[in-house]
C-alpha cells in the first residue's frame, strides 16, 4: 500500500493539509505573510503555547579562540558585510574575535567512509522506535489544533509534519547545544578537505551572513543562538537562511521563534514543504520490485531528486508495482534503499517524496519521515 495519509480521528478531519533545511540548503526575510486571524478558545491557545520542558544540556564543545577577524577570509567577509548590509566594522571585528573554532563541527561534518555499506534497516531502526513514537503521540495530542491548521493551509498531512519534527529533534528534546556562530564560522572558513569544499564554504559563509542578519532583525545576541554542529536551529532544525526565507509566525504572537515555539515550527515545516513542491492529496511512495532479467531499470536510479518516469516507462524497464493501480498521470522516481548484505528495497517515489528530500537530500531521511509519521498516526489512533 502507498505511504500516504492515514485515517484521522474525527476531531481532526476538518481539512487536508508543510517548511526547512535541513539538508543544509534550506535566505530572504524573517517575516513571512501573517496567517489570517482565527478566533480560538482559551484551551486551544494554551495547548498551542505549551512546550514540554527540555533537559538542560551542557555545551558540546567550548572550542578555542582563533581571532577569525584576522584571517584573510574573515577580513574579506567583514568588508562584504559592511558594504552589502551596512554593518559596523568595529562590531563585526569584535564578534569574529569572540567566535570560537569548533574542531567537533569539522569532524562531524566529514562524509562517512565511502566503503561503508548503506543499511536502510539500521537507519530506520534509529527513528521508528518506541521512544520516538510515544513522544510523537504526545506531541500530536498537544498540538493537534496547530497541526490541523497547517494541513488545511499548506496541504501537508499532519503525520508528515510530525514525522519531520520527530526525526529532527525528537519533538524538541534534541535541538543541539553548539553556539551557532561558532559552528557556522568554523565551517565557513575551514571546511574539511572534500571535493566540494569551496562550494560548502560558500554555503556556510552565506549562512554566517544570514545568522548575523537574523540576529540583527530580531534584536538578539547572535551568540545566544544554539543549534546543531552545522548550525541548524530549533524544533525543526532550520538553517538561519531558511528561517529568514521560509519560517512563519504560526502562533500569531508577532515574531518567528523556532527555538521556543513548537507551533511556529509546525507552520514553518509545512510552509517549507509547500514551497518545495508538496502536492496536496498525493501519496509519498509505492513499494516496487525489479526484474532480474530486464535490467533497464538500473539506468533509472540516481537520476536526480525528481519524479520523471511514467508508469509505462517503468514497466517497460522491468519495474513492477506492488499496488493494484497507480494514480493516473503521475510520474515517479525509482528509489533504492540499500540494506547492506541483505536485499535492497525499491520504491516508486512521487513529487512529495522528493519534496521531503529538499529538507535533507537523503532517500533514507525521506522514507524515515514518512514511516515515523505513519507509525505515530497508527499508535495514536489505537489508543
Amino acid at each position: 500500500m502507498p505511504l500516504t495519509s492515514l485515517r484521522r480521528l474525527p476531531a481532526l478531519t476538518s481539512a487536508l493539509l508543510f517548511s526547512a533545511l535541513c539538508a543544509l540548503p534550506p535566505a530572504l526575510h524573517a517575516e513571512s505573510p501573517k496567517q489570517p486571524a482565527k478566533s480560538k478558545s482559551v484551551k486551544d491557545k494554551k495547548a498551542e503555547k505549551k512546550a514540554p520542558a527540555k533537559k538542560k544540556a551542557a555545551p558540546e564543545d567550548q572550542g578555542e579562540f582563533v581571532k577569525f577577524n584576522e584571517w584573510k577570509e574573515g577580513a574579506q567577509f567583514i568588508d562584504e558585510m559592511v558594504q552589502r548590509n551596512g554593518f559596523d566594522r568595529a562590531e563585526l571585528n569584535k564578534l569574529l574575535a569572540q567566535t570560537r573554532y569548533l574542531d567537533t563541527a569539522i569532524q562531524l561534518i566529514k562524509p562517512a567512509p565511502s566503503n561503508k555499506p548503506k543499511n536502510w534497516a539500521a537507519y530506520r531502526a534509529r527513528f521508528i522506535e518506541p521512544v520516538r513514537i510515544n513522544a510523537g503521540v504526545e506531541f500530536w495530542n498537544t498540538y493537534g489544533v496547530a497541526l490541523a491548521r497547517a494541513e488545511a493551509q499548506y496541504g501537508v498531512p499532519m503525520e508528515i509534519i510530525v514525522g519531520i519534527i520527530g526525526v529532527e529533534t525528537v519533538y524538541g528534546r534534541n535541538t543541539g547545544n553548539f553556539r551557532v556562530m561558532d559552528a557556522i564560522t568554523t565551517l565557513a572558513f575551514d571546511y574539511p578537505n572534500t571535493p566540494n569544499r569551496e562550494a560548502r564554504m560558500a554555503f556556510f559563509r552565506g549562512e554566517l551572513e544570514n545568522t548575523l542578519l537574523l540576529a540583527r532583525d530580531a534584536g538578539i545576541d547572535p551568540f545566544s543562538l544554539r543549534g546543531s554542529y552545522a548550525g541548524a536551529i530549533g524544533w525543526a532544525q532550520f538553517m538561519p537562511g531558511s528561517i529568514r526565507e521560509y519560517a512563519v509566525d504560526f502562533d500569531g504572537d508577532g515574531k518567528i521563534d523556532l527555538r521556543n515555539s513548537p507551533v511556529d515550527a509546525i507552520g514553518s515545516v509545512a510552509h517549507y514543504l509547500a514551497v518545495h513542491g508538496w502536492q496536496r492529496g498525493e501519496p509519498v511512495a509505492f513499494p516496487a520490485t525489479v526484474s532480474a532479467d530486464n535490467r533497464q531499470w538500473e539506468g533509472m536510479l540516481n537520476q536526480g531528486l525528481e519524479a520523471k518516469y511514467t508508469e509505462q516507462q517503468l514497466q517497460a524497464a522491468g519495474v513492477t508495482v506492488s499496488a493494484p493501480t497507480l494514480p493516473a498521470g503521475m510520474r515517479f522516481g525509482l528509489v533504492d534503499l540499500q540494506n547492506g548484505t541483505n536485499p535492497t528495497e525499491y520504491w516508486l517515489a512521487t513529487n512529495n517524496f522528493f519534496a521531503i528530500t529538499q529538507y535533507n537530500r537523503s532517500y533514507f531521511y525521506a522514507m524515515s519521515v514518512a514511516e515515523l509519521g505513519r507509525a505515530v498516526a497508527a499508535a495514536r489512533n489505537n489508543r
Side-chain angles (χ1 to χ4, degrees):
M1 63 182 292
L3 287 173
T4 183
S5 303
L6 298 180
R7 175 176 58 85
R8 315 265 184 9
L9 292 179
L12 296 179
T13 56
S14 59
L16 293 174
L17 181 234
F18 160 60
S19 158
L21 80 145
C22 187
L24 298 185
L28 266 168
H29 200 276
E31 289 292 329
S32 294
K34 296 289 185 247
Q35 313 307 322
K38 287 179 102 173
S39 60
K40 302 177 186 176
S41 68
V42 172
K43 180 180 179 182
D44 286 345
K45 289 180 179 179
K46 287 182 177 179
E48 290 203 354
K49 287 287 185 180
K50 178 186 175 185
K54 290 190 282 187
K55 296 179 181 178
K56 187 166 181 80
E60 298 180 23
D61 184 358
Q62 294 291 345
E64 60 177 314
F65 293 111
V66 296
K67 294 187 177 180
F68 280 111
N69 59 310
E70 295 181 1
W71 291 29
K72 176 182 177 181
E73 297 84 353
Q76 181 180 348
F77 176 80
I78 290 173
D79 288 341
E80 293 171 353
M81 291 293 287
V82 170
Q83 295 168 13
R84 186 161 57 235
N85 299 303
F87 276 87
D88 179 80
R89 184 180 299 276
E91 290 182 3
L92 285 179
N93 267 294
K94 183 178 179 181
L95 275 173
L96 289 189
Q98 294 173 339
T99 302
R100 297 167 181 159
Y101 182 95
L102 294 185
D103 184 66
T104 301
I106 298 294
Q107 300 307 318
L108 290 174
I109 205 75
K110 289 180 178 179
S114 58
N115 60 348
K116 184 177 181 180
K118 296 179 180 180
N119 192 316
W120 161 237
Y123 184 98
R124 182 188 186 281
R126 292 167 49 199
F127 300 104
I128 321 304
E129 47 84 29
V131 170
R132 214 172 292 248
I133 292 171
N134 290 333
V137 172
E138 181 182 355
F139 177 81
W140 197 327
N141 288 340
T142 302
Y143 300 106
V145 171
L147 287 163
R149 184 159 56 91
E151 179 172 327
Q153 183 166 335
Y154 296 111
V156 180
M158 290 181 276
E159 60 262 32
I160 295 297
I161 304 172
V162 168
I164 283 183
I165 296 176
V167 167
E168 290 291 343
T169 63
V170 196
Y171 307 101
R173 298 181 185 184
N174 300 328
T175 59
N177 204 36
F178 293 95
R179 291 202 311 183
V180 169
M181 275 291 294
D182 297 339
I184 287 180
T185 304
T186 299
L187 297 171
F189 300 137
D190 196 29
Y191 195 86
N193 189 18
T194 60
N196 62 346
R197 182 174 190 262
E198 293 303 318
R200 299 315 290 159
M201 285 200 297
F203 168 76
F204 280 106
R205 283 195 296 273
E207 289 301 330
L208 178 56
E209 177 177 9
N210 277 303
T211 300
L212 295 170
L213 289 169
L214 176 66
R216 184 173 71 176
D217 292 347
I220 61 176
D221 179 357
F223 289 118
S224 71
L225 294 169
R226 297 269 178 174
S228 75
Y229 65 86
I233 296 169
W235 285 64
Q237 291 290 278
F238 273 29
M239 294 298 288
S242 290
I243 294 177
R244 299 187 67 236
E245 188 163 4
Y246 304 114
V248 296
D249 171 21
F250 207 59
D251 62 15
D253 67 352
K255 62 182 180 181
I256 296 170
D257 186 359
L258 301 191
R259 296 181 293 168
N260 301 301
S261 172
V263 176
D264 281 359
I266 287 168
S268 298
V269 168
H271 179 239
Y272 182 91
L273 286 178
V275 169
H276 287 85
W278 188 274
Q279 301 297 308
R280 184 187 296 266
E282 290 189 2
V284 173
F286 295 88
T289 57
V290 296
S291 171
D293 300 319
N294 177 8
R295 305 187 69 86
Q296 295 181 54
W297 54 267
E298 292 179 339
M300 294 179 167
L301 295 172
N302 302 313
Q303 294 299 305
L305 302 178
E306 61 177 316
K308 59 172 64 174
Y309 301 112
T310 65
E311 179 180 2
Q312 293 72 26
Q313 289 174 316
L314 289 158
Q315 289 176 341
V319 181
T320 303
V321 185
S322 301
T325 58
L326 291 175
M330 285 187 65
R331 291 180 178 266
F332 309 90
L334 182 61
V335 168
D336 59 332
L337 303 182
Q338 299 173 34
N339 267 318
T341 58
N342 294 318
T344 296
E345 287 185 23
Y346 294 92
W347 292 78
L348 296 189
T350 69
N351 282 316
N352 285 348
F353 180 94
F354 292 116
I356 300 173
T357 66
Q358 298 305 308
Y359 211 102
N360 183 310
R361 301 171 72 86
S362 162
Y363 292 166
F364 283 10
Y365 176 88
M367 190 61 74
S368 68
V369 163
E371 291 206 3
L372 177 60
R374 183 171 63 169
V376 171
R380 183 170 178 270
N381 288 342
N382 288 332
R383 294 183 182 181

